[in-house]
């Protein structure tokens, strides 16, 4: 017990290192990349603090270099999921009784380990395993993740400080208990930081967790687990299993102690999981918390007053960084006819300057897409566009999977604002553009709002304040993260809390107190210092 109210260190965004030629960080990272590339790892699951290997091994290889495996992981089955649930439940009592300062210290230490001794290893794992260039990896796997750890500690203390009023003779209090049971963190391939945040945010609030990452993120997930262990996270608080999603779901969602789902991934999967939880609702001890951040069809809309160069850069960065595999990536754009020739020229110039290849070569801006399934899906959409007289490919359009899953950044021009790639999430380096008549700004805003079921991110470009104000009103529900004269990607923890509405998720804003509130079940305490000793009230007397 501590006889003091401790202040936590002030949370600041982790500075993004430059990796400029000859910089200390670049020299170290190159060394670690070469070391990791030369090793063949045997990656275990982590259950109850034990490393668990199975007989069923699956190989991991870089998406950009599919003939050179990085190692193998042990695939688990239903029995491993059950073991992970048991480990989470048995770790729960000690973990939830641990003081918040101790929980905070573990995750603050994790942030410093990540930003310090683990920085190069975490970047190398993300670059090799998920095919991110060094900048994309640094802003995700190091900076955003360190920010999640540090800012969540601050938000936790801000939540704990929220206390009710007390009248004379009473003391009212609010205790922020963790949920009863275990939380299931089900995480996507595209952000190492999201994978770690989905399991650590509920754990910070006193919950224990079963974590199943995407099978294409296991290489960096294992490094996250190493950091948790080095930071002193007790056994069983976060249990990492590599099990096929539906198979894991069968065990997880059929358990009385299932307390919550922390999900990021595609909309279809999330809807299936919600249905499953709904079907089983009478089985659970408590109503499970369901938090899901899902797909997007993120827009850029330019007013005729916008500056062509700014719009083009927002498109070349916003649509193609990390091969468009960001939930926030611009994938549909609405450009006025008067601006299009200039935007097209600038955009094509950027695209022809992009170099594509392995992230191990730092001059490559574009790397591979995550796996063969994604490659086949994207190349299918590109082929369809090539064969459709309503659309024209104005840049890119080539693809090749002989060395790795490379899709050239591709721009499709369509005359149909409802063309399939203007509406559906593709999740790759394909941007579709609809050129509108300059007079039709208001109608275009309606198109932006109504063409897709998603509402994650969106960007409006204009030099005209009336036009910006009109868009702000009309697009109120079209994006959970709304950008004015900026690209729709690159949200920073503590600055632009992230999440969308409609089919894009429950909008619980990762990296804010709103998310942490979902992982607590408050208990109200009223203490009466001098309880009444007579049941009667004054009104009972006649005179
Ligand atoms: P995904 O939906 O394919 O997979 C997410 C996780 O769910 C993985 O761990 C996967 O193994 C698991 N899974 C898949 N099917 C399952 C099933 N039937 N039962 C149980 N588990 C199952 O998503 P992904 O391809 O890894 O990630 C890309 C998607 O994530 C995109 O749609 C993207 O928009 C979205 N995303 C959204 C945000 C956001 O904040 N809104 C952030 C990142 C990614």
């Amino acid at each position: 017990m501590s006889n003091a109210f401790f202040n936590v260190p002030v949370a600041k965004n982790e500075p993004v290192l430059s990796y400029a030629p000859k910089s200390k960080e670049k020299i170290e990272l190159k060394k670690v990349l070469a070391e990791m590339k030369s090793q063949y790892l045997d990656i275990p699951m982590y259950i109850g603090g034990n490393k668990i290997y199975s007989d069923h091994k699956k190989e991991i290889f870089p998406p950009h270099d599919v003939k050179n495996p990085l190692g193998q992981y042990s695939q688990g089955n239903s029995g491993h999921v059950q073991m992970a649930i048991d480990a989470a439940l048995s770790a729960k009592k000690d973990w939830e009784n641990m003081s918040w300062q101790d929980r905070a210290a573990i995750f603050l230490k994790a942030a410093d380990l990540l930003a310090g001794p683990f920085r190069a290893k975490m970047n190398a794992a993300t670059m090799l395993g998920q095919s991110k260039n060094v900048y994309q990896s640094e802003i995700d796997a190091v900076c955003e993740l360190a920010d999640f750890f540090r800012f969540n500690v601050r938000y936790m203390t801000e939540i704990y400080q929220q206390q009710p009023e007390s009248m004379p003779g009473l003391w009212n209090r609010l205790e922020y208990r963790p949920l009863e049971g275990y939380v299931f963190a089900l995480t996507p391939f595209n952000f190492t930081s999201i994978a770690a945040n989905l399991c650590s945010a509920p754990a910070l609030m006193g919950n224990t967790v079963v974590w199943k990452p995407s099978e294409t993120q296991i290489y960096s997930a294992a490094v996250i687990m190493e950091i948790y262990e080095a930071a002193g996270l007790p056994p069983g608080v976060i249990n990492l299993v590599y099990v096929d999603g539906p198979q894991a779901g069968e065990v997880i969602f059929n358990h009385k102690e299932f307390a919550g789902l922390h999900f990021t991934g595609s909309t279809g999967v999330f809807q299936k999981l919600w249905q499953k939880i709904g079907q089983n609702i009478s089985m659970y001890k408590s109503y499970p918390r369901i938090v899901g951040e899902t797909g997007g069809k993120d827009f850029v809309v330019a007013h005729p007053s916008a500056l062509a160069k700014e719009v083009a850069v927002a498109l070349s960065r916003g649509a193609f960084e990390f091969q468009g595999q960001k939930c926030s990536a611009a994938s549909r754009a609405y450009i006025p006819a008067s601006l299009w020739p200039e935007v097209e020229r600038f955009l094509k110039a950027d695209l022809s300057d992009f170099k594509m290849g392995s992230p191990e070569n730092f001059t490559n801006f574009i790397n591979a897409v995550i796996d063969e399934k994604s490659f086949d899906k994207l190349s299918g959409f590109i082929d369809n566009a090539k064969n459709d007289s309503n659309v024209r490919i104005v840049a890119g359009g080539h693809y090749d999977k002989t060395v790795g899953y490379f899709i050239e950044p591709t721009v499709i021009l369509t005359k149909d604002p409802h063309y399939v790639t203007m509406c559906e999430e593709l999740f790759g380096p394909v941007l579709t553009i609809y050129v509108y008549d300059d007079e039709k700004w208001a109608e275009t805003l309606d198109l932006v709002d109504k063409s897709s079921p998603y509402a994650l991110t969106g960007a409006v470009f204009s030099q005209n304040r009336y036009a910006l104000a009109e868009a702000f009103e009309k697009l109120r529900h079209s994006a959970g993260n709304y950008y004015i004269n900026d690209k729709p990607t690159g949200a920073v923890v503590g600055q632009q809390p992230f999440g969308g509405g409609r089919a894009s998720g429950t909008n619980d804003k990762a990296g804010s107190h709103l998310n942490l509130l979902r992982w607590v079940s408050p208990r109200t305490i009223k203490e009466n210092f001098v309880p009444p000793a007579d049941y009667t009230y004054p009104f009972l007397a006649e005179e």
Side-chain angles (χ1 to χ4, degrees), residues 367-381:
N367 314 115
V369 300
I370 193 69
D371 58 14
E372 189 161 26
K373 190 168 151 230
S374 169
F375 177 92
D376 290 346
K377 176 180 159 185
L378 292 161
S379 50
F381 275 104

Side-chain angles (χ1 to χ4, degrees), residues 122 126 130 132 140-141 144-145 148-149 184-202 209-214 216-218 220-222 224-225 228 238 240 262-265 510:
M122 182 54 104
T126 302
Q130 287 136 273
K132 289 202 178 203
D140 161 24
E144 178 161 300
L145 181 48
F148 273 134
F149 290 148
F184 183 40
L186 186 57
T187 64
F189 79 84
N190 66 333
F191 277 90
T192 304
S193 56
I194 292 179
N197 183 49
L198 295 197
C199 53
S200 62
V209 178
V210 176
W211 171 26
K212 193 210 92 59
S214 160
T216 42
Q217 190 262 325
I218 289 173
S220 59
I224 296 171
M225 212 58 207
Y228 288 156
I238 294 177
L240 173 59
H262 204 189
F263 175 82
T264 296

Side-chain angles (χ1 to χ4, degrees), residues 282-301:
S282 54
M283 170 196 294
Y284 307 126
K285 198 179 210 173
S286 317
Y287 293 106
R289 299 290 162 91
I290 305 179
V291 174
E293 296 307 327
T294 61
K297 188 71 200 170
D298 309 301
F299 60 84
V300 169
V301 55

Side-chain angles (χ1 to χ4, degrees), residues 118-411:
F118 278 87
R119 194 177 200 118
K121 186 171 187 182
M122 182 54 104
N123 270 327
T126 302
M127 291 168 74
L128 294 173
Q130 287 136 273
S131 204
K132 289 202 178 203
N133 70 33
V134 62
Y135 178 72
Q136 292 303 316
S137 174
E138 170 81 0
I139 59 173
D140 161 24
V142 173
C143 300
E144 178 161 300
L145 181 48
D147 291 352
F148 273 134
F149 290 148
R150 294 178 179 137
F151 279 85
N152 279 345
V153 165
R154 176 181 126 191
Y155 298 136
M156 173 183 70
T157 62
E158 287 172 2
I159 288 172
Y160 289 173
Q161 278 165 14
Q162 298 286 319
Q163 292 295 323
E165 297 298 319
S166 295
M167 293 297 119
L170 297 178
W171 186 10
N172 294 322
R173 304 184 307 260
L174 212 46
E175 180 200 16
Y176 293 90
R177 303 170 300 183
L179 308 180
E180 277 194 286
Y182 62 88
V183 171
F184 183 40
L186 186 57
T187 64
F189 79 84
N190 66 333
F191 277 90
T192 304
S193 56
I194 292 179
N197 183 49
L198 295 197
C199 53
S200 62
L204 175 67
M205 302 310 283
N207 298 282
T208 53
V209 178
V210 176
W211 171 26
K212 193 210 92 59
S214 160
E215 69 170 30
T216 42
Q217 190 262 325
I218 289 173
Y219 196 61
S220 59
V223 181
I224 296 171
M225 212 58 207
E226 275 182 56
I227 295 176
Y228 288 156
E229 289 202 330
L233 189 74
V237 174
I238 294 177
N239 303 279
L240 173 59
V241 292
Y242 315 132
V243 181
D244 165 66
Q247 201 182 358
E250 269 316 301
V251 185
I252 291 284
F253 302 126
N254 279 305
H255 199 294
K256 188 174 169 233
E257 300 280 342
F258 167 64
L261 169 66
H262 204 189
F263 175 82
T264 296
S266 54
T267 299
V269 170
F270 186 52
Q271 292 183 352
K272 267 196 225 144
L273 303 182
W274 195 309
Q275 270 170 359
K276 181 88 189 159
I277 296 166
Q279 277 162 11
N280 291 350
I281 197 69
S282 54
M283 170 196 294
Y284 307 126
K285 198 179 210 173
S286 317
Y287 293 106
R289 299 290 162 91
I290 305 179
V291 174
E293 296 307 327
T294 61
K297 188 71 200 170
D298 309 301
F299 60 84
V300 169
V301 55
H303 183 259
S305 64
L307 304 180
K309 183 74 183 163
E310 293 177 0
V311 175
V313 170
L315 293 175
S316 47
R317 283 185 170 177
F320 300 116
E321 283 184 310
F322 187 39
Q323 296 76 260
Q325 299 170 119
K326 300 187 184 191
C327 47
S328 54
S331 63
R332 55 183 170 130
Y334 301 79
I335 311 292
S338 61
L339 211 63
W340 173 238
E342 252 194 307
V343 172
E344 183 180 20
R345 187 162 51 81
F346 290 132
L347 184 59
K348 281 182 169 171
D350 282 352
L351 265 63
S352 62
D353 199 49
F354 287 173
K355 277 182 65 189
M356 182 162 73
S358 162
E360 293 154 67
N361 174 348
F362 283 30
T363 64
N364 289 322
F365 187 76
I366 302 289
N367 314 115
V369 300
I370 193 69
D371 58 14
E372 189 161 26
K373 190 168 151 230
S374 169
F375 177 92
D376 290 346
K377 176 180 159 185
L378 292 161
S379 50
F381 275 104
I382 292 174
D383 286 345
N384 289 345
K386 285 178 182 163
N387 296 326
D388 191 321
S389 57
N390 271 323
V391 300
R392 195 158 57 84
I393 293 185
V394 293
H398 300 105
Y399 47 80
D400 186 346
K401 60 177 172 183
T402 43
V403 177
Y405 305 120
F406 290 104
I407 304 257
E408 205 179 10
T410 297
V411 181

